[in-house]
Amino acid sequence: MLDKAVFTPQGKHLIAGEWIAGEVTFRSEPAHGPAHDFSVGTPALVDRACMAAEQAFWTYAQTTREARAAFLNAIADEIEARADAITEIGTQETGLPVARLQGERGRTTGQLRLFASHILAGDYLDRRHDPALPDRQPLPRPDLKMVQRPIGPVAVFGASNFPLAFSTAGGDTAAALAAGCPVVVKGHSAHPGTGEIVAEAIHAAIAGCGMPAGVFSLIQGGKRDVGQALVQHPRIKAVGFTGSLAGGRALFDLCAQRPEPIPFFGELGSVNPMFLLPAALAARGAEIAKGWAGSLTMGAGQFCTNPGIAVVIDGPEADAFIAAATAALEPIGAQTMLTDGIAAAYRAGRDRVAGAKGVQEVLTSMCDRRDATPYLFATTGREWLENEALGEEVFGPLGLIVRVANDAEMAQIAHSLHGQLTCTLHLDAADTELGRSLMPILERKAGRVLANGFPTGVEVCDAMVHGGPYPASTNFGATSVGTLSIRRFLRPVCYQNMPDALLPGDLA
């Protein structure tokens, strides 16, 4: 176990086992505590990391599942060995509370260990075998075997809102390493010290497990040229990204425009609408409102699954729901947002919604600088349908209630949605028929459909889907959470009449 000494970042990049300083630095902007200087990434460093990843691929892709599982478990152990230091610098940089960082660390190590167990079981390989049929007429059939194989080095972009679970050793990195792919991470400048200490943990696991040094690199900071160089580098074969629609779409387009286009697995967020059906609204509207307020403001609303929209049928029950939601939100004070830029974007989103035609201010507050306070607005179904901008995500604790005239207009709202990460039905037994009519719409719109719950809190498990039709994500057939996420970084290879001695170990 490491000591509990205060972690002081060295401010360097980790490139294939070497800590490298740059000539240009940037200074972190912590919510509290000391600021630190970090080297700025460059396209030259990107090239160095990608070439090292390619060299490592030839060894790492051939490792056994047992060796990769031990490596994933070792990363988890090394992260836990730095638990106190990670929490300290993570809370300083992001302003997130200690309990949130501790929980996110547990989620990060938990998914590493889950992926280790999953690849040991081997089901993800989707192994298939069609034996030879030499006597088949009119032509014989050859012996055919198929298995999933790693695709090559993967680029991962750290997320602003999850300094651990979706960043340096987060889900994309864990999935790629589990699949047998080296990883090059572009760290997020919102929490560079947290990224560095986690990279230190991965570095220790690489040494302890005897893995090739180029299996992991971390490049800090850098402007757009660094991200562009990374996704366009010919050695990179896939990209994992969690972030804004604008940034993700720009990188997606670059991936598609390459001489060799590659998959871009971008998770870009959504408004995660909730549909409150009449019987449930009448029976427990106040309870739902209270739960919504808690979900809406959790972590200052900085979750991609934040349920920003509530759709209700107009009437006295809708009035009571709005009153209950207002009462639940009013006592919630200011929370520190992840960065000054995110806070500014939240205020801009608030102003956009407040200024839209037909939008009523229900709960207003005052927030400035890096703080966020909750806001609540209401509009009609007709205004929603006429103003597509109301369906754009506001990253923060802002809720919009859409009052629809009837069941048919509720279905129109559902049809009007763009792709979502989640859609939620709040319903009781008497709402079953209406719920049944909405389900075909919602399952086409979202990657996860919930009943009587709230979408914040994404379980890491086999059945989870964290993705959805565009613009929720750029690849609707994939998930960035859960064991199925490993399949993003594999491709099927068929072996025809291949001698056993030449087959990959997972088939021999």
Side-chain angles (χ1 to χ4, degrees):
M1 194 75 174
L2 297 182
D3 62 43
K4 296 184 179 180
V6 175
F7 172 70
T8 301
Q10 54 184 319
K12 298 179 180 179
H13 312 283
L14 176 62
I15 309 292
E18 295 184 44
W19 292 101
I20 299 173
E23 296 180 1
V24 180
T25 62
F26 70 96
R27 196 159 183 80
S28 65
E29 299 178 355
H32 58 84
H36 302 280
D37 292 325
F38 293 87
S39 297
V40 174
T42 65
L45 287 171
V46 168
D47 180 66
R48 182 169 173 177
C50 293
M51 296 304 292
E54 172 71 9
Q55 183 178 3
F57 176 76
W58 299 108
T59 301
Y60 188 64
Q62 304 303 317
T63 55
T64 65
R65 286 178 284 132
E66 291 76 13
R68 292 201 305 281
F71 178 39
L72 294 174
N73 283 322
I75 295 172
D77 291 343
E78 294 289 349
I79 290 173
E80 292 294 357
R82 295 161 174 78
D84 292 339
I86 289 172
T87 298
E88 180 179 39
I89 194 163
T91 55
Q92 289 176 354
E93 290 186 322
T94 65
L96 294 171
V98 169
R100 160 67 191 276
L101 264 294
Q102 291 173 336
E104 192 179 329
R105 188 185 71 248
R107 174 194 173 109
T108 304
T109 57
Q111 67 187 356
L112 284 161
R113 293 183 172 119
L114 173 65
F115 288 2
S117 298
H118 185 73
I119 62 173
L120 285 176
D123 295 342
Y124 78 104
L125 294 167
D126 193 19
R127 288 173 283 205
R128 305 183 185 199
H129 182 201
D130 291 302
L133 298 175
D135 299 325
R136 190 184 68 176
Q137 295 298 325
L139 294 172
R141 184 178 76 187
D143 182 84
L144 298 168
K145 295 177 180 177
M146 188 274 281
V147 70
Q148 300 287 337
R149 296 295 294 150
I151 59 173
V154 172
V156 172
F157 286 74
S160 64
N161 59 333
F162 279 89
L164 298 174
F166 281 89
S167 289
T168 310
D172 289 340
T173 297
L177 293 177
C181 300
V183 174
V184 179
V185 172
K186 183 185 182 298
H188 200 286
S189 57
H191 39 74
T194 310
E196 182 183 311
I197 193 171
V198 174
E200 183 183 276
I202 299 173
H203 179 52
I206 290 172
C209 295
M211 292 296 174
V215 77
F216 175 83
S217 292
L218 169 69
I219 300 171
Q220 296 277 27
K223 298 182 180 179
R224 289 185 178 181
D225 60 338
V226 175
Q228 292 173 354
L230 186 53
V231 301
Q232 292 185 307
H233 197 284
R235 301 303 184 187
I236 294 296
K237 300 305 177 185
V239 178
F241 174 90
T242 298
S244 69
L245 173 60
R249 181 55 197 252
L251 294 173
F252 172 83
D253 290 343
L254 288 174
C255 287
Q257 293 162 6
R258 288 174 34 143
E260 176 200 6
I262 59 173
F264 178 85
F265 299 104
E267 189 272 281
L268 310 179
S270 65
V271 296
N272 305 295
M274 306 187 310
F275 294 82
L276 282 64
L277 305 196
L281 183 63
R284 48 192 176 86
E287 176 188 340
I288 296 170
K290 184 177 180 180
W292 183 39
S295 180
L296 188 67
T297 59
M298 181 186 299
Q302 298 170 116
F303 290 94
C304 47
T305 53
N306 188 31
I309 308 295
V311 184
V312 299
I313 294 178
D314 204 5
E317 290 82 5
D319 294 336
F321 173 77
I322 292 174
T326 303
L329 288 168
E330 278 179 332
I332 297 174
Q335 300 178 71
T336 302
M337 300 199 85
L338 293 158
T339 68
D340 292 335
I342 289 174
Y346 173 59
R347 292 191 293 273
R350 171 204 62 190
D351 295 343
R352 171 176 55 79
V353 174
K357 177 178 175 290
V359 171
Q360 170 195 358
E361 293 182 346
V362 178
L363 173 67
T364 61
S365 53
M366 293 292 293
C367 63
D368 59 9
R369 302 196 177 189
R370 198 159 165 172
D371 289 336
T373 51
Y375 289 83
L376 186 61
F377 299 92
T379 191
T380 66
R382 177 178 295 181
E383 294 293 351
W384 169 280
L385 293 168
E386 292 179 355
N387 187 355
E388 189 171 307
L390 291 178
E392 296 176 5
E393 181 183 24
V394 178
F395 195 62
L398 182 147
L400 175 63
I401 298 169
V402 182
R403 305 173 68 133
V404 299
N406 48 39
D407 296 359
E409 193 168 68
M410 182 174 277
Q412 281 185 282
I413 298 295
H415 275 295
S416 74
L417 294 169
H418 295 297
Q420 303 291 322
L421 293 171
T422 73
C423 288
T424 300
L425 288 172
H426 288 278
L427 74 168
D428 284 353
D431 296 312
T432 299
E433 286 304 313
L434 177 55
R436 185 178 289 121
S437 70
L438 290 170
M439 279 298 292
I441 309 171
L442 301 186
E443 69 181 11
R444 188 175 181 188
K445 297 292 183 177
R448 177 163 56 113
V449 184
L450 298 80
N452 297 327
F454 300 95
T456 42
V458 182
E459 191 68 30
V460 181
C461 59
D462 291 330
M464 178 52 64
V465 173
H466 189 60
Y470 184 84
S473 64
T474 55
N475 190 310
F476 62 83
T479 174
S480 62
V481 176
T483 54
L484 187 61
S485 66
I486 299 170
R487 288 288 297 269
R488 296 175 297 169
F489 306 119
L490 298 163
R491 65 180 181 87
V493 178
C494 176
Y495 302 87
Q496 182 169 325
N497 291 334
M498 191 65 59
D500 286 349
L502 299 184
L503 289 171
D506 287 322
L507 273 180

